[in-house]
């Protein structure tokens, strides 16, 4: 190959006088070699941006920024959709998903081992304030049999007003090496009817759901016909969670009085019997005036879990001159 100074001389000498040969030759040579030099020193192709950098991508004609990051954010952790519905103390709780990460941007008390977060949607469809303080009633059961308490919640205190629907989250200190599918959420104090929810999509929690029947079973008490329209067994009622080993049985009644004699109200003792257990009603019947029909009442009872066959009993009432009790049977399967 010819030396650079000979190439310069040949190019410039062919076209220009000797006085301008040197300058023009170097200019021409630079222009010829510049593309080759640029290719050699280019750090990266525009189609292959450096790792950890950003580039603009066009999706559907709209420019968007795509950035990669190695920082420990929730996006770099795991997210598992769950969509498990459960009820505690009359609050309907949807466990939307479970997330695991080193930290969360809205967590003020980071865990050194990692954080497991449950995203929740809570609904209070009752007419009063309900309470679910996860720091008191929530525990995460680990594979080794131990349990851990939450160390943070989005909403402190756990109270939720009537007819409110809201989002919430609860955080547990759990090592990132522990898989969420190995864990179980326990809801309920040791003295309450507890619910165990596996943190796996499609977990079967049907044994904790309310069961209702419509027996339309009738009995006559005095001269009033009372009909058991619906009966429901459930672990929570009226913003309360049942005691350990117990459940609520809620009975809806309809009264039809075709006589002129009044009845019902707090002058009637109401009981529910199942096996060897007899429980008094927690509410009074509504009063029924003479010739009044379609009078609604709701009474609830505390019964042992697992009970399925029941007898509703109206005790004798001296006030109404009724000397014998009346009863009606129904089952909740």
């Amino acid at each position: 190959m010819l030396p650079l100074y000979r190439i310069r001389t040949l190019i410039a000498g062919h076209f220009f006088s000797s006085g301008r040969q040197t300058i023009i030759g170097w200019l021409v040579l630079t222009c010829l070699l510049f593309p080759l030099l640029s290719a050699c020193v280019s750090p990266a192709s525009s189609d292959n941006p450096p790792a950890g950098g950003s580039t603009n991508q066009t999706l559907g004609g709209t420019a968007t920024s795509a950035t990669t990051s190695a920082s420990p954010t929730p996006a770099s952790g795991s997210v598992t959709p769950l969509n498990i519905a459960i009820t505690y103390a009359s609050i309907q709780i949807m466990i939307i998903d479970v997330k695991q990460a080193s930290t969360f941007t809205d967590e003020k008390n980071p865990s050194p081992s990692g954080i497991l977060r449950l995203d929740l949607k809570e609904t209070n469809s009752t007419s009063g304030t309900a309470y679910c303080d996860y720091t008191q009633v929530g525990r995460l059961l680990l594979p080794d049999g131990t349990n851990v308490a939450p160390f943070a919640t989005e909403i402190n205190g756990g109270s939720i007003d009537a007819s409110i629907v809201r989002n919430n989250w609860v955080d547990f200190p759990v090592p990132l090496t522990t898989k969420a599918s190995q864990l179980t959420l326990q809801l309920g104090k040791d003295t309450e009817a507890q619910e165990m929810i596996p943190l796996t999509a499609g977990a079967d929690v049907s044994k904790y759901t309310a069961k209702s029947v419509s027996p339309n079973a009738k009995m006559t008490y005095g001269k009033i016909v009372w009909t058991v329209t619906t009966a429901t067994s459930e672990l929570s009622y009226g913003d309360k969670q049942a005691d350990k080993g117990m459940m609520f049985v809620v009975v809806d009644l309809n009264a039809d009085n075709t006589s002129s004699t009044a009845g019902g109200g707090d002058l009637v003792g109401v009981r529910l019997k199942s096996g060897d257990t007899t429980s008094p009603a927690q509410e009074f019947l509504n009063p029924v005036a003479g010739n009044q029909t379609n009078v609604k009442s709701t009474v609830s009872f505390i019964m042992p879990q697992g009970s399925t066959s029941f007898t509703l009993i109206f005790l004798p009432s001296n006030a109404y001159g009724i000397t014998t009790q009346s009863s009606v049977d129904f089952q909740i399967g």
Side-chain angles (χ1 to χ4, degrees):
M1 178 179 289
L2 291 174
L4 293 178
Y5 77 91
R6 289 290 295 153
I7 297 173
R8 176 208 67 196
T9 303
L10 288 172
I11 294 172
H14 183 73
F15 295 100
F16 302 97
S17 62
S18 59
R20 299 181 180 177
Q21 289 178 5
T22 301
I23 297 173
I24 298 302
W26 280 116
L27 290 174
V28 173
L29 185 60
T30 300
C31 292
L32 290 174
L33 296 179
F34 181 76
L36 296 176
L37 295 172
S38 298
C40 292
V41 300
S42 178
S45 168
S46 60
D47 293 332
N48 298 286
S54 62
T55 183
N56 287 330
Q57 300 177 349
T58 301
L59 303 176
T62 302
T64 60
S65 176
T67 303
T68 59
S69 175
S71 62
T73 64
S76 67
S78 64
V79 180
T80 303
L82 295 179
N83 295 317
I84 301 173
I86 201 77
T87 300
Y88 172 81
S90 299
I91 300 175
Q92 297 150 26
I93 303 169
M94 174 66 73
I95 306 175
I96 299 171
D97 58 39
V98 55
K99 296 175 180 175
Q100 288 183 273
S102 298
T103 187
F104 291 86
T105 56
D106 53 359
E107 177 54 73
K108 297 179 181 179
N109 303 301
S111 168
S113 60
I115 298 174
L116 183 144
R117 169 170 292 185
L118 297 176
D119 286 316
L120 311 171
K121 181 179 180 180
E122 302 167 332
T123 302
N124 179 10
S125 56
T126 72
S127 58
T129 301
Y131 298 87
C132 180
D133 185 347
Y134 297 102
T135 62
Q136 300 295 319
V137 305
R139 295 294 182 268
L140 207 57
L141 306 185
L142 303 182
D144 62 2
T146 60
N147 65 75
V148 294
F151 69 93
T153 58
E154 182 179 16
I155 301 174
N156 295 325
S159 65
I160 175 171
D161 292 336
S163 305
I164 290 294
V165 179
R166 71 186 187 190
N167 293 323
N168 198 358
W169 53 251
V170 55
D171 285 351
F172 296 86
V174 176
L176 295 178
T177 54
T178 303
K179 295 182 179 179
S181 59
Q182 300 175 312
L183 307 176
T184 298
L185 174 65
Q186 173 184 292
L187 280 181
K189 300 177 183 178
D190 292 340
T191 58
E192 296 178 327
Q194 294 179 329
E195 303 171 63
M196 307 296 180
I197 305 102
L199 298 186
T200 56
D204 184 7
V205 292
S206 57
K207 63 182 177 180
Y208 304 121
T209 59
K211 297 178 176 64
S212 293
V213 295
S214 300
N216 290 316
K218 300 178 184 295
M219 69 174 176
T220 301
Y221 181 73
K223 295 183 178 181
I224 301 175
V225 177
W226 293 83
T227 303
V228 178
T229 55
T230 60
T232 304
S233 62
E234 52 194 324
L235 294 182
S236 63
Y237 176 71
D239 79 18
K240 303 294 184 182
Q241 188 76 358
D243 290 338
K244 185 176 182 178
M246 307 302 286
M247 66 180 184
F248 294 98
V249 175
V250 183
V251 180
D252 294 319
L253 296 161
N254 186 79
D256 292 311
N257 188 0
T258 57
S259 73
S260 58
T261 304
D266 59 357
L267 299 178
V268 179
V270 182
R271 302 289 185 268
L272 188 66
K273 179 178 174 62
S274 180
D276 296 330
T277 301
T278 300
S279 175
Q282 298 186 105
E283 301 88 3
F284 295 116
L285 297 172
N286 286 326
V288 183
N291 298 308
Q292 188 178 15
T293 61
N294 199 32
V295 178
K296 309 294 183 185
S297 290
T298 297
V299 287
S300 64
F301 309 85
I302 299 174
M303 302 297 292
Q305 287 186 34
S307 303
T308 57
S309 297
F310 304 94
T311 301
L312 181 68
I313 302 169
F314 283 13
L315 298 177
S317 172
N318 292 330
Y320 292 127
I322 300 174
T323 58
T324 60
Q325 70 179 31
S326 296
S327 63
V328 60
D329 297 330
F330 61 91
Q331 291 187 332
I332 304 177

